[in-house]
Every structure is written in structure tokens, then in C-alpha cells.
Amino acid sequence: MSDEVGIRAATAADADAVDTIIRAAFAGTEFGYQGEAELVRMIEADGDTLVSLVAERDGAIVGHILFSRMDVEADGQPLVAAGLAPVAVLPGRQGQGIGDALIRAGLDALREQGVAISFVLGHEGYYPRFGYSPELAGRFVSPFAGPHFMATMLDSDAAWPPGGRADYAPAFGRLG
């Protein structure tokens, strides 16, 4: 068995494996499975996917991440933005750096696309290692505002916007 993880763009052929990974990963969380696999399918069907990556180890898909288009304004001007949701790793493979590798690769892909800011709704003890900050997200009005709502500027030299509005892709509003 190899410890090496490969990261690549997800394809339509990966859909069933991605669905299985998401369901398994979220079933074991504090909040349980809440429709994250359906969310991925809705975002993809709506054409709002910006980055969708899978992690492979020993020829099997063991993780997935999706970043979707967001509708964001900062100081009255549109800002190219992405929402990270979800990131999932098979329970038996968690704690091995796979989620970390997916997030870093996804943020790099967003930078290459010219995305200015990324938001996440997640664990405040985990996401700051990738530059996510609740203080930055707190400058934006959002239905998801709160301590778990975080953002990162993808250009580390960019000034933080003074404030604005951040809305996830429409699929988030349709999620049960």
C-alpha cells in the first residue's frame, strides 16, 4: 500500500464514489449527514461548480472537495468568490492529510481562476490553518453569519474589503 495521495479533477464517472464518500464522512460527524451529497449534485446540475477535486490512494477515490460560485459584493462592487462545501474523506482515511491536500489544491485552483475570496462554514479550529478567518467573513452580511462562517483572501497581499454581502450558490437555499 502506498501512502501517496493523488489529487485530480473530478469527472462524471466519479459521481457514485463521491456520493458514497460524502455520505460516509458526514454520517460520523457531530451533526450527521444532512444532504451534502445532494448539495453537490444540485450545484453541479446548476453549473455553479468552480472546482471539484478527488483524492486517490492505491487506485481508489478516498476524498472529495467542491468549491462553488458565490454572489458576493464588497463595498458595492462584485467580488469573484467561491464557497468551500463540502470536503469529505472516507472515515478510515481521515487524519492522514488528505483533506488538507484537497483544500490546498482547491485554493490553488481558485487562484488560477482569478477568484478573489473563498468562504467556508466549518470548524473554527480547523480552517484557519488555510487562512480562513471569522473576522474577515464577519464583514459580510450572510444568512450563514456566525462563528463558523469564515473567509480567506486568495491573494495574501490583498486588503480585506471593508464590508459587503455574501450569498452561496442557489442550491444551498434549496437544501432541506
Side-chain angles (χ1 to χ4, degrees):
M1 264 196 190
S2 168
D3 283 342
E4 191 166 324
V5 174
I7 306 288
R8 65 169 174 80
T11 68
D14 300 326
D16 289 342
V18 166
D19 189 85
T20 298
I21 290 164
I22 293 170
R23 289 174 187 278
F26 281 91
T29 66
E30 175 184 351
F31 299 105
Y33 178 75
Q34 297 185 3
E36 292 84 359
E38 289 81 4
L39 176 66
V40 167
R41 291 186 188 246
M42 287 188 292
I43 289 168
E44 290 172 345
D46 290 350
D48 285 329
T49 300
L50 292 176
V51 173
S52 180
L53 302 173
V54 293
E56 292 180 310
R57 182 175 277 166
D58 298 323
I61 296 174
V62 296
H64 174 260
I65 192 167
L66 183 106
F67 289 87
S68 58
R69 184 178 339 276
M70 290 183 67
D71 181 15
V72 175
E73 286 185 3
D75 203 23
Q77 299 297 314
L79 191 61
V80 181
L84 187 174
V87 59
V89 175
L90 283 174
R93 300 290 189 155
Q94 292 175 7
Q96 299 174 16
I98 296 168
D100 184 289
L102 283 165
I103 292 168
R104 292 186 193 285
L107 292 172
D108 287 345
L110 291 175
R111 285 184 191 94
E112 290 173 11
Q113 292 181 25
V115 174
I117 190 170
S118 174
F119 290 84
V120 67
L121 188 64
H123 194 283
E124 69 276 10
Y126 181 72
Y127 289 97
R129 74 184 73 182
F130 307 102
Y132 285 96
S133 162
E135 291 81 20
L136 174 56
R139 296 175 177 220
F140 291 84
V141 174
S142 172
F144 296 98
H148 300 284
F149 187 55
M150 294 170 267
T152 185
M153 298 300 295
L154 296 178
D155 175 354
S156 59
D157 294 328
W160 283 12
R165 170 189 55 75
D167 293 315
Y168 278 87
F172 285 84
R174 297 194 311 268
L175 190 61

